[in-house]
Amino acid sequence: MSNVTEIRWHGRGGQGAKTAALLLADVAFATGKYVQGFPEYGPERMGAPITAYNRISDTQIRVHSNIYDPEYVVVVDESLLETVDVTAGLKEDGAILVNTQKPKEEIIPQLKGYQGNVYTIDAKKVSMEALGKYFPNTPLLAAIVKVAKIMDEEVFLKEMRSSFQHKFASKPEVIDGNMKALEMALKEVR
């Protein structure tokens, strides 16, 4: 399974971590990859911690389990750094992406000694500017595509536009805002 990219998402119910994982799977599938995108369900309610997962590969994926040793972790809500061990099993040659307004130097002490790459993005700023509302999943989706180099950015944007046109067929006015959020996030991740 060395050619499989594994991503674990940590968020809170209602923040869109599950939706982002499923969208990433759809877009990667549209480019000819083998994919898995799934949430881990427990006693979820709005605001409760949730976990979602992605596997993306050029070859068939034969494992069907949660992801315990991911290459990448996406933290949708930085308050989870205080209560959830988001770096558990995270490979040192991978990376963690945290949604925060803080510089990464302030985040690193909360990562339980993780020595790999740390990326941050202010998904709230991007979301508010592009959409006028706080939806962190759209900027984080673009950011993890860039960080993990899952696919060419232009291909990603093309496939996301197609996905949004299908998903928002009855609300085409939201497509441009979501596309702007993706484009901004690709530039804002640091």
Side-chain angles (χ1 to χ4, degrees):
M1 287 213 342
S2 60
N3 72 336
V4 177
T5 299
E6 294 183 319
I7 303 167
R8 188 173 64 216
W9 297 76
H10 291 279
R12 294 189 180 277
Q15 292 180 321
K18 172 187 146 187
T19 300
L22 297 177
L23 271 171
L24 180 55
D26 286 345
V27 170
F29 181 76
T31 67
K33 303 229 182 244
Y34 292 87
V35 300
Q36 292 177 352
F38 55 97
E40 177 179 13
Y41 283 111
E44 273 72 33
R45 62 192 184 286
M46 188 71 82
I50 66 110
T51 310
Y53 305 93
N54 283 111
R55 282 190 182 94
I56 302 168
S57 178
D58 292 324
T59 58
Q60 189 172 4
I61 301 169
R62 298 194 184 277
V63 64
H64 299 279
S65 67
N66 288 351
I67 297 171
Y68 301 103
D69 299 308
E71 283 89 16
Y72 301 97
V73 165
V74 180
V75 181
V76 181
D77 186 323
E78 75 176 295
S79 71
L80 292 171
L81 296 175
E82 299 167 13
T83 58
V84 175
D85 185 3
V86 297
T87 60
L90 179 57
K91 295 179 179 171
E92 298 288 332
D93 61 348
I96 186 167
L97 169 66
V98 181
N99 173 19
T100 184
Q101 297 174 344
K102 299 173 186 171
K104 83 175 180 181
E105 293 75 24
E106 287 184 38
I107 297 297
I108 290 172
Q110 296 179 282
L111 300 180
K112 299 186 182 343
Y114 178 67
Q115 297 295 309
N117 291 318
V118 178
Y119 294 87
T120 61
I121 184 167
D122 186 348
K124 183 173 188 175
K125 177 184 139 212
V126 171
S127 180
M128 294 301 291
E129 189 173 321
L131 301 165
K133 293 182 180 177
Y134 183 39
F135 295 111
N137 60 340
T138 301
L140 286 164
L141 175 60
I144 194 60
V145 165
K146 181 170 187 142
V147 167
K149 298 176 178 64
I150 293 169
M151 64 185 73
D152 177 78
E153 291 175 19
E154 292 303 316
V155 171
F156 168 69
L157 292 171
K158 177 180 168 274
E159 293 300 333
M160 284 303 300
R161 179 171 290 282
S162 177
S163 178
F164 286 152
Q165 286 170 337
H166 176 73
K167 181 177 180 169
F168 299 122
S170 63
K171 299 188 284 185
E173 66 277 7
V174 302
I175 296 171
D176 286 341
N178 276 283
M179 290 305 299
K180 182 178 178 184
L182 293 173
E183 291 165 3
M184 285 178 64
L186 289 170
K187 295 175 186 159
E188 293 277 328
V189 68
R190 49 193 189 279

